[in-house]
Amino acid sequence: MQTRDELFPESFPQPDDQPHDPAAGSRRDFLRNAGLLGAAALLPGGLGAAGTAMAAQAPSDIVMADAVALSAWIKARKVSCREVMSAFLDHIERINPKVNALVSLQERDGLLRQADERDAQLARGEYLGWMHGMPQAPKDLTATAGIPTTQGSPLFKDYVPRQDSIIVERVRRQGAILIGKSNTPEFGLGSATYNTVFGTTLNAYDPSRHAGGSSGGAAVALATRMLPVADGSDMMGSLRNPAAWNNVFGFRPSQGRVPFGPTGEVFFQQLGYEGPMGRTVRDLAMLLSVQAGHDARVPMSSSEDPAVFAGSLQRDFRGTRIGWLGDFRGYLPMEAGVLELCRQGLKGFEAVGCTVEEAMPDYPMEQLWQTWLTLRHWLVAGVATPLYNDPAKRALLKPEAVWEIEGGLNLTGADVWRATVQRSKWYEALRKLFERYDYLVLPSAQVFPFDAGQHWPAEIAGRRMDTYHRWMEVVTGGTLAGLPILNVPVGFNAQGLPMGVQLMGKAQADLAVLQLGHAYEQATRWVQACRPALL
């Protein structure tokens, strides 16, 4: 195993020892006028004992700000990177023990030193980009040099990569500061975030229930304002299901939009890849503008200029046609209340000028599930068989991982080929449906968040679930088609549990999906109106 480098010094000089900052006075005036600092926070050295008590009562306006606004404040030096880092670390100290969303948190002194370095860069006129000074905690599946990447597995609990993943490289270049990682299920398998390394991540709106997954830590950290934006990855709804269950936005981009790697295999791993999450579509699009873009190490990555996502999202949607897929005419079992809440959410699209009608692809849905099982087995087995072949390591794999690997080992090449042909037929069925509709919409989950002590639902609406992930079948169609899909919130049931719908666009129409998502957000404002009680 690699050993961790010593990244951080033992201490950093106190504020009285720092060089004079000519911008400090105007920055404090801004904070005072904006309500961003209480009297205690204006004491020398920032929040002292009195300030800590104040922070324990309510989150600061720094952590409550949208990421786009926070970025602008930092760039204009209205708030310092040290003030931003201190505010987030104080908030994380208060909130994270209640939800267990962030893991492998780094030393405070070292993080503040990095924040001071970002401030010094600004003082010299050096601005790294949109994420300058922003705290980030990449998902624990993506490689972070110098910070553990456990993948939620006891096999990798001490693994510290020497190289960043591509998306981490890109946020670092933009000036982000990595404060730790966001929790994930073992190897990302399953839509409930729990593992034997760090434990269970709890729902932002009801901590007795699951957060979704596998980007559950990211979604909860966003919803509870412990991160301004977050990255995730999505093979089986992992950017969509946790976003729906925590009342935020999660976007699975078009295949190739965000390069996945570096990795030893660059052609066939096309089911799971990375993308952004945010509390607003604007924030999410800005993070996508950092993540997206061609990388020569990933030959099938998109060459379209990612700067398009940093532009305006305004657009007129009068006359836009939306097809409502729902439960595929009764094929998918749904917990009581899910379809009703999602149908109410369709009014948000109608409010911006869209027309919505029932739609159904011309394809046998049970065949789609079998296609999914084959391709998922094949890919998981391809990646994880070396672990399975070692009896000592196999004993530490969770049963779901063993089941996936063994399913893959029992496949033939002909099985995989037939599945890829069926996947192509599914894409063609959706392509034809898009000749009539501009977008397609369906629920992001088949159940509301369930008890955190339960691994997965055994049945839905009286129908038994025959695998650990059958209850998330609703997301497989979007994955297999490789289309851009945005979870948008649709509100809460009578128990106060969130839900969302998947907004699906045509191939490579990522910007169009985000534009409609933005218009829907302006009409509904679920994130702004309904904050977690933990706040």
Side-chain angles (χ1 to χ4, degrees):
M1 289 294 178
Q2 300 171 10
T3 58
R4 179 183 173 186
D5 296 327
E6 294 297 322
L7 297 179
F8 307 124
E10 293 182 357
S11 63
F12 190 81
Q14 293 302 304
D16 288 345
D17 299 325
Q18 301 305 303
H20 174 65
D21 180 359
S26 61
R27 186 166 61 245
R28 291 187 182 277
D29 290 341
F30 170 79
L31 291 168
R32 186 186 297 108
N33 294 335
L36 297 178
L37 282 177
L42 292 174
L43 295 172
L47 288 173
T52 301
M54 181 181 228
Q57 297 173 12
S60 77
D61 287 357
I62 286 177
V63 303
M64 295 300 289
D66 292 343
V68 167
L70 180 61
S71 176
W73 295 348
I74 292 171
K75 183 178 182 181
R77 302 180 69 192
K78 298 296 186 181
V79 295
S80 70
C81 297
R82 170 174 271 261
E83 287 162 334
V84 169
M85 182 60 69
S86 295
F88 274 97
L89 293 180
D90 288 344
H91 187 62
I92 289 167
E93 185 177 344
R94 181 172 74 91
I95 297 294
N96 197 52
K98 302 175 184 178
V99 292
N100 192 36
L102 299 179
V103 299
S104 299
L105 288 165
Q106 301 297 285
E107 299 169 2
R108 185 184 187 101
D109 286 347
L111 294 173
L112 290 175
R113 182 186 181 189
Q114 293 182 66
D116 287 326
E117 290 172 352
R118 292 289 181 268
D119 283 326
Q121 289 171 319
L122 288 175
R124 296 192 299 267
E126 300 171 8
Y127 180 65
L128 298 182
W130 179 73
M131 304 190 78
H132 192 109
M134 278 196 184
Q136 283 294 280
K139 186 175 177 179
D140 203 20
L141 296 182
T142 198
T144 45
I147 300 176
T149 300
T150 76
Q151 300 186 63
S153 168
L155 293 169
F156 296 97
K157 64 183 179 65
D158 298 316
Y159 173 62
V160 180
R162 297 185 183 274
Q163 182 179 10
D164 286 329
S165 69
I166 292 172
I167 63 167
V168 173
E169 287 177 355
R170 291 179 172 184
V171 298
R172 284 204 208 248
R173 284 201 299 264
Q174 286 273 317
I177 300 173
L178 304 193
I179 63 172
K181 306 297 284 287
S182 63
N183 202 20
T184 183
E186 183 176 327
F187 303 125
L189 297 176
S191 285
T193 299
Y194 63 90
N195 59 64
T196 60
V197 181
F198 297 113
T200 302
T201 295
L202 304 175
N203 192 280
Y205 285 84
D206 184 345
S208 73
R209 298 176 183 256
H210 272 298
S214 60
S215 306
V220 172
L222 265 179
T224 57
R225 274 62 176 177
M226 290 190 287
L227 292 174
V229 287
D231 67 72
S233 55
D234 186 312
M235 188 182 199
M236 193 177 182
S238 295
L239 281 160
R240 294 166 276 168
N241 159 248
W245 279 9
N246 291 280
N247 192 42
V248 295
F249 296 90
F251 185 58
R252 177 186 164 93
S254 287
Q255 188 170 303
R257 179 70 61 194
V258 175
F260 178 77
T263 178
E265 197 292 304
V266 296
F267 290 104
F268 286 100
Q269 294 186 66
Q270 299 174 20
L271 289 185
Y273 39 83
E274 295 158 319
M277 305 180 82
R279 292 189 297 271
T280 71
V281 179
R282 174 75 274 164
D283 288 352
L284 182 154
M286 287 299 296
L287 180 55
L288 182 61
S289 75
V290 175
Q291 296 176 332
H294 181 70
D295 187 290
R297 293 167 291 182
V298 185
M300 299 173 72
S301 56
S302 172
S303 60
E304 183 178 352
D305 185 358
V308 66
F309 301 111
S312 174
L313 295 178
Q314 296 296 327
R315 182 175 158 190
D316 185 352
F317 283 97
R318 286 174 292 184
T320 297
R321 300 165 298 173
I322 292 179
W324 164 243
L325 300 179
D327 60 358
F328 294 103
R329 294 182 181 171
Y331 168 75
L332 293 175
M334 295 277 175
E335 181 179 350
V338 170
L339 283 177
E340 292 77 8
L341 189 57
C342 291
R343 285 195 182 98
Q344 290 178 22
L346 298 178
K347 296 177 181 178
F349 296 109
E350 293 172 341
V352 300
C354 300
T355 59
V356 183
E357 62 182 65
E358 302 276 345
M360 183 69 186
D362 183 14
Y363 190 89
M365 299 307 296
E366 181 58 37
Q367 175 61 60
L368 189 69
W369 178 248
Q370 295 307 313
T371 297
W372 170 254
L373 289 181
T374 297
L375 293 178
R376 184 176 171 99
H377 280 331
W378 177 60
L379 287 175
V380 174
V383 172
T385 293
L387 301 177
Y388 177 88
N389 287 341
D390 183 329
K393 293 178 179 177
R394 184 192 310 169
L396 294 176
L397 294 173
K398 73 178 189 177
E400 295 87 346
V402 172
W403 177 77
E404 294 279 13
I405 295 167
E406 291 178 346
L409 293 176
N410 289 325
L411 294 170
T412 66
D415 292 332
V416 176
W417 175 255
R418 282 192 293 269
T420 61
V421 169
Q422 285 298 326
R423 182 185 184 188
S424 302
K425 290 181 178 179
W426 167 247
Y427 171 79
E428 180 62 14
L430 290 187
R431 189 191 67 78
K432 289 182 177 177
L433 205 57
F434 276 120
E435 292 177 354
R436 177 177 178 84
Y437 301 106
D438 302 299
Y439 301 86
L440 300 174
V441 175
L442 69 166
S444 292
Q446 293 166 237
V447 296
F448 290 102
F450 53 89
D451 187 272
Q454 183 181 3
H455 285 185
W456 64 82
E459 66 175 42
I460 302 176
R463 199 179 308 179
R464 187 177 71 86
M465 299 292 100
D466 56 358
T467 73
Y468 77 100
H469 52 12
R470 187 76 184 237
W471 61 278
M472 282 300 298
E473 188 174 358
V474 70
V475 300
T476 59
T479 294
L480 288 170
L483 301 175
I485 315 167
L486 176 69
N487 171 79
V488 300
V490 295
F492 299 76
N493 69 1
Q495 289 72 47
L497 300 175
M499 184 48 65
V501 294
Q502 303 174 71
L503 173 60
M504 186 185 305
K506 299 176 182 178
Q508 303 300 314
D510 299 55
L511 180 59
V513 170
L514 296 179
Q515 287 171 331
L516 180 52
H518 174 71
Y520 171 91
E521 176 192 9
Q522 302 310 303
T524 57
R525 308 292 288 179
W526 281 113
V527 179
Q528 292 74 18
C530 301
R531 295 174 178 172
L534 289 173
L535 298 177

